[in-house]
Structures are given as C-alpha cells and as structure tokens.
Amino acid sequence: MKNHPLQLFIVFLFFGFSTVYGQYTEVINSNKPGFSESPYSVGTGVYQFESSLFFRNVSVEPTFSRPQSLGFDMLFRTSFFLEKLELNVQASYQRDKIAFKNIFTSDYSVNGIGRFTVGAKYLVYQQEYEDKSKEIRSWKRRMAFDYKRLIPSVAVYAGLNTDMVNDIYKTGSMSPKVGLLLQNNLSSDFNIVTNVFYDKIGTDFSEISYIVTGTYNFNDYWSGFVENQTVFLENQNNTNIGTGLAYLYSKNLQINASGRLLIEGNAQGFYGGFGVSYRIDTHKDSYKELDENGREATSTPISEYNKKQGGFFSRLFSIFKKKERRKTNTRKRKRN
C-alpha cells in the first residue's frame, strides 16, 4: 500500500477513491474535483476538509435568470462510530448575478449562502476482487477479466437541506435529500462511480439527478476524470460535462482543478473550479489478538513482555539504575 499510494486514492467527486478492502486509506480519499460521491467513507478518526473556489457563467436566456456565480464551496467529512458510516456537511458562500432580460438587460448582485446540507452515507455492500497478481501457474487466468468487477459497491445517502440560505435559494422549509451511490473498480487504475439523487423532496423545487464519473490514475501522483451530470427539473433539464486533474501533494493533501461545459435549458456556458483537500488523520486500527480457539487472548507475548518491563516510571528509573551500575563497575576497574 505504501508503494502504491494513488491506488488507494482515486480522484472523484468525490474525486479520489480508495482501495475496496477498507474504508480508511493511507492517503487522502477526496471527492474533489468531481460532483459525484464515492460510496466509501473516510474512516474513523479522520477529519477531512474539501474546499474549492468556483466560477460559473452562462448566457442570459429566461426573463429572470442567474447567469453568473463566484463562490467558495466546503465539504467536511468524518466518521465517529462505524468505518462504513460517514457524516458530512456541505456549504457554499457565493456572489450571484441576477439578470432581467426584456428589451434591455439589467442585473444586480447578491451575496450569501447558496447551500447548507447535513448528511450521512452508509456502505451497504462492499465488493471484493480476486488478487490475480499471485497467479503464476496460468498467464491466461492471471490476465482474465474478473467479472465480479461489474458488480458495484453500494452505499445509501440521506441528508437534510437547511433553509439557512440566501433568499434566491430558499425553498420555504427544510427538505430531505436521498441518494444511491455506486462504484465499479474495473481495474486497479480505472473506476466508474454512479450516483442517483432525489433532492429537495416535498418542495416546489424538487429535482432528480444522476452523475456518472470515470476516473483514471496515471501514476502515483496524478489522476484525471471525465464526468456527466444531468438534473431533471419541472420546467427544464440542466446538463454539464466536465473533466479535470488531481495531484497528490502529500498523503494528507490533494490539489485539483476542473472545467465544465454547461447546458441549462436554452442557456449555455462554462464552469471552472480550483480546490484543495486536506485531512487531519488520527485514525487507529482496532484489533484483538485471538488464541488458537478463536477467543480473545488474555496473555500474549507482548502483554507478558510489558509486565516484565513494568510501567513507564519503572522503565525510566531502570535507566538510572543501569547508569549507576556502570559507574560502580568503572570505579572497581580503576581501583584494580
């Protein structure tokens, strides 16, 4: 794992995915700069911040529209109780241009929170794959495609959109958001993530969306993605096609950038983003040593060694005892 850090790190919108053999990874597992979300959590004891600056610009088509946005997006992720359960908070602060198009076009700008959503996801099913690198008897079997890779890992998402947002984003009340998160690791370097969401449920602004993202790891540091997202609204459909790169600066820091073509009803435009993801890693593996009968061992070589060594202070004072013995032996040799 240490020799192949980016194989644990798969960049995704949740741009950055990890090996499927566990939730926690030795390198940061970020969703940026994509919009899709991996079914895997960051793991217990990890506090992760995924931030990005973004700029969106589309043509003024409807009578009233929001053709331009400049803002800052932040996603906080952590896991307290279970490796498979992740809690997250997503918020954005942005400056939006509001346009009115009639005979002439006029506009004004507003500042405020564009989104504030609290959510959680749980890994329901984790697909495991056969390690064929150890297959030395048959080259054909070693190179054959593992059809289990067509069966994805699955997670469910549930969130709550708060109404603590700018007036232009208010829906009238808090509203739930639910989703299904899938991931297929088609190889050690290429995977596909698929998300389906039902958002703002019970409001006049409810929407259904899907995201499909393909990610490829070029080497231990660079990864790229291609993504398609479509949002189905009551009066129009919004689609974007994006691509981008992520660079693993260190095991706890990722830098990324992305660009997108936007089609929002009759309006067209572009989106650009630059982000940094950083984690505070206090994860500790919890395990128990078992005896030959499968029960927890009460006496192990390590525990017996610690008993013989005593506590911290006894080991500390033993250092001085050893030094005193050396001095005594030195004096005896000098006398002789």
Side-chain angles (χ1 to χ4, degrees), residues 32-43:
K32 299 295 184 179
F35 288 167
S36 63
E37 181 169 358
S38 164
Y40 302 108
S41 77
V42 293

Side-chain angles (χ1 to χ4, degrees), residues 31 44 46 49 72 101 120 152 154 163 173 188 197 212 219 237-238 245 275 280-281 297 302 304 331 335:
N31 289 308
T44 56
V46 174
F49 302 86
F72 175 79
K101 184 178 182 181
V154 181
D163 216 31
S173 64
S188 59
F197 290 106
V212 179
N219 53 44
N237 298 334
N238 297 339
L245 292 171
I280 301 172
D281 184 7
I302 294 178
E304 292 299 322
R331 293 193 193 101
R335 290 172 183 171

Side-chain angles (χ1 to χ4, degrees), residues 40-66:
Y40 302 108
S41 77
V42 293
T44 56
V46 174
Y47 306 92
Q48 187 159 310
F49 302 86
E50 303 177 9
S51 62
S52 63
L53 294 172
F54 64 88
F55 178 73
R56 168 187 163 275
N57 188 79
V58 297
S59 57
V60 180
E61 291 296 335
T63 302
F64 291 96
S65 64
R66 183 175 54 89

